[in-house]
Amino acid sequence: MPKRAPKKRPRRSTRAANPELWKFYRLGLRALNNDQRLADQHRQALSVQEFCEQEEVSRSNVEQARLFARSFTEEEVKWYCSQVSDDKKPQSLITKCHMHRLAVLPKKAKQKKYAKLVCEQRWSVRRLTAEIAKTRPKKSQDRKSVGSGKSGDPG
């Protein structure tokens, strides 16, 4: 009996590596599409409330998904979804919560820089938040309390 060549494993889709993140991105795209229909007064457009009910998600979740879809291209999301650990049980290195933190950064270069660091150094969401906070300008602590009525003078 001739030997068979070992079966090749089917290549996993990058979306399959992080289905939650991909699903969230698609929700954002659908929300943006519905927003455009509303702006164009399209007869098939849904109100925000109707859209939330149809998708069975909260309004805040839709708003976060919308921001996510507006902030990243499909190619970027595919790359993020493809970032998985090399452990016995591969896990996604970038989660939906990481993406929430990255989406609020104003510059693409910073988003990419921090996303790369999350993957390379396996940052938690808490660590990512702390690192982003370090780069933001600090509020002035030197303000004098004017009109607070708390002076050190008796009387």
Side-chain angles (χ1 to χ4, degrees):
M1 187 174 221
K3 284 188 174 181
R4 285 190 191 178
K7 287 185 178 179
K8 289 184 179 180
R9 285 175 139 181
R11 189 169 173 223
R12 273 184 15 159
S13 161
T14 55
R15 293 182 290 255
N18 194 338
E20 180 187 348
L21 189 60
W22 185 254
K23 183 179 174 184
F24 190 66
Y25 179 69
R26 298 294 299 166
L27 172 66
L29 290 178
R30 287 192 304 275
L32 290 173
N33 188 12
N34 189 63
D35 292 349
Q36 187 60 48
R37 284 190 204 151
L38 281 171
D40 295 342
Q41 296 180 348
H42 195 275
R43 69 183 201 289
Q44 291 181 337
L46 301 172
S47 71
V48 175
Q49 183 63 36
E50 291 170 333
F51 181 81
C52 292
E53 288 171 4
Q54 178 182 323
E55 297 291 332
E56 297 179 350
V57 293
S58 69
R59 185 180 188 125
S60 65
N61 207 358
V62 169
E63 288 172 9
Q64 290 171 342
R66 186 183 292 122
L67 174 64
F68 177 42
R70 196 178 293 131
S71 300
F72 301 100
T73 65
E74 185 170 334
E75 291 304 312
E76 289 170 325
V77 175
K78 283 181 182 178
W79 183 83
Y80 293 132
C81 287
S82 71
Q83 302 305 301
V84 292
S85 65
D86 294 333
D87 302 338
K88 289 180 182 177
K89 185 179 178 189
Q91 293 180 327
S92 178
L93 295 175
I94 295 184
T95 65
K96 192 168 95 171
C97 293
H98 284 104
M99 296 309 293
H100 288 292
R101 303 306 187 283
L102 293 171
V104 297
L105 293 172
K107 296 182 181 175
K108 283 277 184 197
K110 280 194 173 189
Q111 289 174 346
K112 289 180 181 180
K113 171 189 163 189
Y114 283 113
K116 190 174 180 183
L117 288 168
V118 165
C119 294
E120 290 173 355
Q121 299 179 13
R122 295 187 179 201
W123 282 359
S124 65
V125 175
R126 188 174 287 167
R127 170 82 188 271
L128 174 62
T129 304
E131 294 294 331
I132 290 171
K134 286 180 186 177
T135 64
R136 296 217 169 131
K138 294 185 179 178
K139 293 180 182 175
S140 175
Q141 298 288 333
D142 302 331
R143 294 183 192 164
K144 293 181 180 177
S145 53
V146 178
S148 66
K150 295 182 180 179
S151 66
D153 300 331

